């Protein structure tokens, strides 16, 4: 029996991640052209899979997923060049999240308010204690990072709402919606660690970000494919 295409891509994705980990000395080295290049290679694998195979996703959604991943890959590269790359990197990732939202947010039937209020509270804490203190350094950076934080939270809200209440083309708790909410939740966790670690030292922060971020991107691709298959079978 042939190995599923997504699983093959997943193996290559893991190999690219392992190679980046090796090239960075176990994440002990950071920043620079070489570091940025190897950091962006895992997402290049997912981009190639979406472009060349797509896993059965229709062309329009496939294009949106492609650009979402491309924006993320750009963010990886920019943030890998220098410490100052966090703001332009956030802009790139924010664009990617907008592409992600376009692919599924319109199918939301109802908002899960407990999740919404919990994320609003946590975002407010992060912005107040970890982002606003940088107002004296750069107003633009604070605006960008605050906007990004709430945009990312929005992706979690829509994904969680669809998982618990279903969507216009998926039943509640379906596997595709599960992979999607897991992906965005890990994305949110990863970026929360990055921001919190600026103010309070988070143990093993680089490694936690490393694992949660790459897992998030893979799960988002898997979620998109699973949702398409579930939608097809439900017709």
């Amino acid at each position: 029996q042939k190995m599923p295409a997504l699983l093959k891509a997943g193996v290559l994705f893991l190999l690219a991640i392992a190679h980046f980990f090796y090239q960075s000395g176990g994440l002990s080295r950071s920043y620079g052209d070489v570091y940025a290049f190897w950091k962006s290679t895992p997402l290049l694998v997912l981009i190639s899979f979406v472009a060349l195979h797509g896993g059965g996703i229709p062309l329009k959604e496939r294009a949106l997923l492609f650009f979402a991943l491309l924006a993320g890959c750009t963010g990886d590269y920019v943030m890998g060049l220098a410490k100052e790359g966090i703001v332009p990197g956030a802009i790139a990732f924010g664009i990617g999240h907008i592409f992600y939202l376009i692919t599924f947010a319109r199918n939301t039937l109802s908002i899960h308010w407990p999740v919404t209020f919990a994320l609003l509270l946590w975002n407010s804490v992060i912005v107040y204690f970890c982002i606003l203190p940088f107002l004296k350094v750069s107003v633009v950076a604070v605006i960008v990072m605050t906007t990004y934080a709430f945009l990312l939270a929005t992706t979690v809200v829509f994904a969680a709402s669809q998982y618990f209440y279903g969507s216009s083309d998926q039943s509640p708790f379906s596997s595709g919606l599960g992979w999607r909410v897991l992906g965005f939740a890990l994305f949110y966790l990863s970026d929360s660690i990055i921001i919190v670690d600026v103010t309070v030292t988070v143990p093993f922060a680089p490694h936690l970000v490393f694992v949660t971020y790459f897992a998030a991107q893979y799960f988002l691709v898997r979620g998109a494919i699973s949702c398409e298959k579930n939608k097809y079978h439900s017709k």
Side-chain angles (χ1 to χ4, degrees), residues 39-131:
K39 184 181 181 182
S40 62
T41 52
L43 250 63
L44 288 176
V45 173
L46 294 182
I47 290 170
S48 299
F49 168 76
V50 170
L52 300 175
H53 189 279
I57 302 173
L59 187 59
K60 181 181 177 180
E61 286 75 11
R62 188 170 160 186
L64 290 168
L65 182 59
F66 173 87
F67 285 116
L69 291 168
L70 183 62
C73 185
T74 302
D76 283 339
Y77 185 81
V78 171
M79 291 180 69
L81 288 174
K83 188 176 182 180
E84 295 74 20
I86 188 169
V87 173
I91 293 173
F93 279 113
I95 293 171
H97 293 319
I98 292 173
F99 279 117
Y100 275 130
L101 282 170
I102 294 173
T103 65
F104 76 95
R106 66 184 182 277
N107 298 323
T108 303
L109 298 177
S110 182
I111 296 297
H112 194 287
W113 291 110
V115 170
T116 302
F117 288 130
L119 291 180
L120 180 62
L121 177 61
W122 178 242
N123 263 27
S124 299
V125 170
I126 284 182
V127 169
Y128 184 80
F129 288 104
C130 303
I131 297 179

Side-chain angles (χ1 to χ4, degrees), residues 20 117 135 140 173 207 230:
F20 163 59
F117 288 130
L135 269 174
V140 173
F173 307 109
H207 298 81
N230 290 340

Side-chain angles (χ1 to χ4, degrees), residues 150-165:
F150 283 95
L151 178 59
L152 178 55
T154 301
T155 65
V156 181
V157 167
F158 277 110
S161 296
Q162 291 190 13
Y163 179 70
F164 288 110
Y165 299 137

Side-chain angles (χ1 to χ4, degrees), residues 20-29:
F20 163 59
F21 188 80
Y22 171 77
Q23 289 292 336
S24 65
L27 304 182
S28 63
R29 295 189 294 273

Side-chain angles (χ1 to χ4, degrees), residues 179-213:
W179 286 117
R180 177 181 287 155
V181 72
L182 178 59
F184 282 122
L186 287 175
F187 220 130
Y188 187 84
L189 174 61
S190 177
D191 286 356
S192 293
I193 293 171
I194 292 174
I195 296 175
V196 171
D197 192 53
V198 174
T199 305
V200 181
T201 301
V202 178
F204 307 106
H207 298 81
L208 291 173
V209 171
F210 174 83
V211 172
T212 53
Y213 168 68

